[in-house]
Amino acid sequence: MTIKHSAALAALAVTTALGTGALAESHEMALSGELKIFSDMSNPAPRAVMEGMVERFGEMHPDLEIELTIIDREAYKTQIRNFLTANPPDVANWYAGNRMAPYVDAGLFEDVSDLWEGELSETLASTKGAMTLDGKQWGVPYTYYQWGIYYREDIYAEHGLEEPQDWEQLKSNCQTLLDNGIKCFTIGTKFLWTAAGWFDYLNMRTNGYDFHMALTAGEVEWTDDRVKQTFANWRELIDMGAFIDDHTAYSWQEALPFMVNGEAAAYLMGNFAVAPLREAGLSDEQLAYAQFPAINPDVELAEDAPTDTFHIPAGAENKEAARAFLKFVTSAENQTTINAGDALGQLPVNSQSSVDDDEFLKEGFETLSSNSPGGVAQFFDRDAPAEMAKVAMEGFQEFMVKPDNIDRILDKLERARQRIY
Amino acid sequence: MAPLPPSTAPRPAPRSWWRRNQIAITPWLFLAPGILFFAIYVLIPVGQSFNISLYDWDGLGAAEYVGLRNYEEMYWDDAFYTSLRNNVIWLVLYLLAIPAGLAIALFLNQTVTGIRIYKSLFFFPFVISQVVVGLVFSWFYDPSFGLLNVMLGWVGLGPVNVLGDEDWVTYGIIAAGLWPQTAYCMILYLTGLNAVDPEQIEAGRLDNAKGLRMLWHIILPQLRPATFIAFVVTIIGALRSFDLISIMTQGGPFGESRVLSFYMFEVALSEYGFRMGYGAAIAVVLFLIMLCFITYFLWSMYREEKGR
């Protein structure tokens, strides 16, 4: 679907109301011509955010004709390959981390290191690493969200449990819940990636961020003893029966009712799970967020926070306007607006932005900005190459069902690693 | 009769090239559009697939020639053998649609009031989309609220997680696929039964044939054309079993329900794929398997034509 924003109409709108530094700065350049934007923000709320951004940018640059094309988020993942080569827009959405590597390697993304020079490198410092490949930056972030344990506060209170501070407490909490006929964690592994969330956290807590990054970068053998230790920790939970039964048959959404009905007490998930949980009737008194507790006290805590990004295709025609748009996207004011609870409901990347007054956003922001000294990972399927991610996530799923197969699974992953990297 | 006047007309001009060759060329002209499109959409892509299978290519950058290495990798690939094994299970079990379709067709081949409604009801699953069939069956199998487990509970059997268990999943999907396929075979046999010669049945009766003997010796031989078509469409259906797998399990759990066509898609075109060369190599293997059946079909059709 295409929405055309007529520059003339936009010019009629009031532009003086928004007087900020970022705005004044971009006013200096008179942009003209056409700016084609392809976006994957197709769900209702993100869509409104994207359209709002384009409208505000259009008001600042009345001579610029902006053409916004919004593509279904799943379809976008395969279409991007076609349009980047055949019919590149001026700006396109994508993801940070290794997910951009195929396009960077194929020379399809524009090097935007110049944008990052100076101020941006400070305000967006938390994701600079995730946007960097070969020492250059290839895009800018507009939002990210925390992962963590979302648990039923009321169920925990009922059984006299508290937010787990370490691995032992997490397990003892779990045992209490199991004794009362409640599963500790809900999960739906039908689409595999949910299991990768568990692996990310267990591995980062057992071996630390740097080891995790080395593993996803293919520098460590999957049969390494440290990897085996991660799986041994995971196995403790599996052997307890901590996870719901038959999770291979559910998607992540289908696993939500277990938590809503009180059959399971917690869910290791991204912050996007909060919205459906609230819609299902859980109040903020019933629901709480906890950072995944430490397992190995010697490693620093690190978190998963997948970042969504904007890029300029190498074949873009109006790169000047595209750079201005990227700059506009990263401005503190814009990031505050688009990540508000009534918009994306996620976290702004710009450190000068303010976080919306929402329990989970505030806690997530706190966790990521001050409680994640080890580093911030993207997510397993964005940190590892797509092919490795697929094989590994299948292995995680198999392990969760048949933990006895661990040696065979790790051998398989190791063979895949040797082939892929 | 008056003698013919001497011919004054000039000798007929030598026949044009077109006139001389008309009879030989006409069939080719009629065939030309078909051959052209068959070549563009079938023959050339087959060749291209084979060509791509010799390269390592992600669809974006430059393709690197690797010879037969994709096939060598396939030889060591567990997932490939799982898919191949599932393909064989599909081929064998999917054929159950033929006897099942025949049984329903025989049952429905009677004149009772409203029989047309019953026939259409039995045909109904073939009309609805495979996607809907897949969804209906995944709800039916759902371990927490599915009907199957409720029904198993009545006879005291424990809950089964059909689509999440690596031993059951392929059979579960095939059962879903058999539902529409049986309807298809049924309609083929119903039309076939219309053409059964009543005189032969009469003659059979006089010779005291009934029941299964009648079916085996009198009816089935006359249904041979219908059986042949049912066999062809079922084999093709089994090898094309893609949509149900995609809807019901995405090849899971841990890849145990994949078949070759789905594996090819996953490797070459899905979110985590884009190994065009390896995908093409799987496609070539799938093509060779299909070629065995296609050759058999063509050969038996050829033999039949010749026999006439």
Side-chain angles (χ1 to χ4, degrees):
Chain A
M1 226 194 99
T2 306
I3 302 150
K4 285 221 175 190
H5 286 268
S6 146
L9 258 181
L12 280 175
V14 186
T15 54
T16 47
L18 314 143
T20 68
L23 191 58
E25 188 185 324
S26 32
H27 256 310
E28 286 162 16
M29 308 175 274
L31 296 173
S32 59
E34 204 181 324
L35 179 68
K36 276 200 297 180
I37 302 177
F38 282 7
S39 172
D40 68 344
M41 299 163 75
S42 61
N43 292 329
R47 183 187 198 105
V49 164
M50 188 66 217
E51 288 171 6
M53 263 198 287
V54 164
E55 201 170 310
R56 275 177 284 128
F57 189 67
E59 282 165 10
M60 287 157 48
H61 301 281
D63 293 334
L64 192 65
E65 174 116 6
I66 306 176
E67 191 187 312
L68 170 65
T69 307
I70 292 178
I71 298 166
D72 173 73
R73 198 171 167 92
E74 292 305 314
Y76 190 92
K77 290 175 183 166
T78 45
Q79 283 184 20
I80 186 172
R81 304 175 68 86
N82 298 336
F83 68 66
L84 279 185
T85 43
N87 173 30
D90 298 305
V91 173
N93 277 122
W94 195 235
Y95 311 104
N98 225 318
R99 264 298 177 89
M100 35 177 217
Y103 307 109
V104 171
D105 293 343
L108 293 170
F109 277 162
E110 171 96 353
D111 171 12
V112 293
S113 305
D114 53 319
L115 282 177
W116 282 82
E117 272 167 28
E119 195 192 329
L120 272 193
S121 284
E122 286 161 32
T123 53
L124 305 179
S126 58
T127 56
K128 186 170 182 183
M131 301 305 304
T132 306
L133 283 174
D134 307 332
K136 295 171 192 152
Q137 288 78 46
W138 302 95
V140 295
Y142 66 92
T143 188
Y144 65 172
Y145 51 87
Q146 81 272 17
W147 270 65
I149 298 177
Y150 293 85
Y151 66 99
R152 285 282 300 269
E153 219 170 353
D154 50 341
I155 297 181
Y156 269 52
E158 191 187 323
H159 299 288
L161 303 174
E162 284 182 8
E163 194 171 303
Q165 301 302 322
D166 55 34
W167 185 236
E168 291 311 316
Q169 193 180 359
L170 186 140
K171 282 188 290 184
S172 67
N173 279 355
C174 186
Q175 196 54 55
T176 314
L177 287 167
L178 288 172
D179 293 343
N180 287 286
I182 299 169
K183 290 287 186 183
C184 317
F185 294 100
T186 184
I187 187 172
T189 57
K190 183 174 177 184
F191 296 98
L192 307 175
W193 55 267
T194 46
W198 272 96
F199 177 78
D200 274 357
Y201 273 99
L202 288 163
N203 196 37
M204 286 194 290
R205 292 291 181 268
T206 310
N207 298 310
Y209 174 84
D210 294 330
F211 178 84
H212 187 64
M213 284 297 126
L215 182 68
T216 50
E219 292 155 15
V220 184
E221 288 177 15
W222 278 89
T223 43
D224 191 288
D225 280 342
R226 289 168 292 181
V227 180
K228 287 186 176 158
Q229 183 56 44
T230 299
F231 281 98
N233 289 337
W234 198 347
R235 181 159 190 168
E236 288 185 67
L237 289 180
I238 295 169
D239 286 348
M240 284 168 84
F243 300 100
I244 58 165
D245 300 326
D246 300 330
H247 52 76
T248 49
Y250 307 119
S251 66
W252 76 268
Q253 292 101 330
E254 286 166 334
L256 288 167
F258 294 96
M259 183 150 161
V260 176
N261 301 335
E263 292 165 44
Y267 203 172
L268 178 69
M269 214 3 96
N271 195 51
F272 51 81
V274 171
L277 285 172
R278 279 179 178 154
E279 271 162 35
L282 293 184
S283 68
D284 282 8
E285 280 78 49
Q286 289 173 293
L287 203 57
Y289 166 84
Q291 189 176 11
F292 198 99
I295 294 176
N296 177 353
D298 300 331
V299 301
E300 290 180 315
L301 297 182
E303 295 293 313
D304 262 346
T307 309
D308 291 353
T309 55
F310 279 104
H311 302 265
I312 304 178
E317 279 164 15
N318 197 347
K319 287 181 182 168
E320 194 195 351
R323 281 195 154 75
F325 184 77
L326 259 53
K327 220 162 180 175
F328 163 76
V329 165
T330 51
S331 69
E333 181 222 17
N334 177 58
Q335 296 224 335
T336 307
T337 314
I338 64 173
N339 285 298
D342 56 357
L344 289 177
Q346 298 186 150
L347 299 172
V349 182
N350 193 313
S351 57
Q352 312 283 315
S353 302
S354 49
V355 181
D356 206 44
D357 189 19
D358 172 287
E359 181 190 339
F360 299 100
L361 290 183
K362 276 196 166 340
E363 284 193 68
F365 189 73
E366 179 73 23
T367 304
L368 288 177
S369 51
S370 50
N371 232 347
S372 177
V376 173
Q378 285 302 310
F379 191 72
F380 190 80
D381 69 352
R382 299 188 190 185
D383 289 321
E387 217 189 320
M388 187 70 227
K390 172 79 183 169
V391 183
M393 294 193 309
E394 263 175 31
F396 302 156
Q397 190 198 31
E398 183 172 356
F399 173 72
M400 286 188 73
V401 183
K402 305 193 149 183
D404 288 337
N405 289 357
I406 182 63
D407 289 325
R408 210 173 49 79
I409 295 170
L410 289 181
D411 284 343
K412 198 167 156 186
L413 296 195
E414 176 54 22
R415 278 206 308 277
R417 183 189 75 89
Q418 286 172 5
R419 178 171 53 78
I420 291 164
Y421 293 99
Chain B
M1 219 163 95
L4 280 168
S7 169
T8 49
R11 270 172 61 90
R15 293 193 304 163
S16 70
W17 182 86
W18 165 241
R19 281 184 174 277
R20 270 181 288 124
N21 297 291
Q22 198 174 14
I23 294 188
I25 290 175
T26 309
W28 290 106
L29 280 180
F30 279 115
L31 280 174
I35 290 178
L36 183 73
F37 285 102
F38 189 71
I40 292 178
Y41 291 110
V42 180
L43 290 181
I44 297 174
V46 167
Q48 282 177 325
S49 269
F50 185 73
N51 185 40
I52 292 176
S53 76
L54 302 178
Y55 287 85
D56 184 11
W57 186 42
D58 68 353
L60 286 176
E64 185 197 344
Y65 181 79
V66 293
L68 292 176
R69 212 183 303 156
N70 282 323
Y71 294 92
E72 187 197 335
E73 184 190 329
M74 201 187 300
Y75 180 78
W76 297 108
D77 186 357
D78 293 343
F80 170 74
Y81 290 107
T82 310
S83 313
L84 192 63
R85 182 200 70 204
N86 284 340
N87 255 121
V88 173
I89 299 178
W90 268 89
L91 277 173
V92 173
L93 290 185
Y94 220 47
L95 289 176
L96 288 177
I98 298 175
L102 176 65
I104 298 176
L106 289 171
F107 173 64
L108 289 178
N109 191 37
Q110 44 187 314
T111 39
V112 192
T113 337
I115 191 71
R116 289 201 175 166
I117 294 182
Y118 302 132
K119 282 181 186 171
S120 11
L121 283 180
F122 273 96
F123 189 54
F124 173 71
F126 185 67
V127 180
I128 56 180
S129 146
Q130 294 261 316
V131 176
V132 177
V133 173
L135 275 178
V136 168
F137 267 83
S138 34
W139 291 332
F140 176 68
Y141 290 142
D142 189 288
S144 54
F145 61 77
L147 257 184
L148 176 71
N149 282 320
V150 174
M151 280 153 50
L152 284 177
W154 292 339
V155 289
L157 291 173
V160 193
N161 175 14
V162 178
L163 294 183
D165 184 293
E166 77 273 22
D167 296 326
W168 285 104
V169 61
T170 298
Y171 302 102
I173 303 175
I174 294 174
L178 279 177
W179 189 42
Q181 193 64 27
T182 302
Y184 194 13
C185 293
M186 176 202 81
I187 214 78
L188 289 171
Y189 276 121
L190 275 177
T191 21
L193 283 170
N194 276 337
V196 167
D197 185 358
E199 281 179 17
Q200 290 192 22
I201 296 180
E202 200 65 25
R205 285 237 171 85
L206 288 179
D207 286 344
N208 207 16
K210 51 182 157 224
L212 282 177
R213 286 179 68 97
M214 172 79 101
L215 178 68
W216 188 254
H217 294 288
I218 311 281
I219 313 275
L220 275 186
Q222 297 190 62
L223 287 177
R224 263 201 65 186
T227 309
F228 180 70
I229 297 292
F231 186 63
V232 172
V233 295
T234 307
I235 291 287
I236 293 174
L239 287 170
R240 291 200 317 187
S241 50
F242 174 87
D243 18 22
L244 284 175
I245 295 169
S246 170
I247 293 295
M248 294 172 76
T249 63
Q250 295 261 324
F254 32 95
E256 285 293 323
S257 65
R258 279 194 284 239
V259 294
L260 287 177
S261 55
F262 189 81
Y263 190 42
M264 170 189 78
F265 165 81
E266 212 172 59
V267 167
L269 300 166
S270 75
E271 193 186 337
Y272 299 112
F274 299 116
R275 298 182 61 210
M276 300 300 173
Y278 195 48
I282 299 170
V284 168
V285 171
L286 187 58
F287 173 72
L288 292 178
I289 297 174
M290 286 192 172
L291 203 60
C292 300
F293 288 99
I294 295 170
T295 317
Y296 166 72
F297 293 147
L298 288 180
W299 178 66
S300 58
M301 273 157 90
Y302 173 76
R303 215 180 34 173
E304 202 143 289
E305 296 272 309
K306 234 184 155 186
R308 272 189 194 147

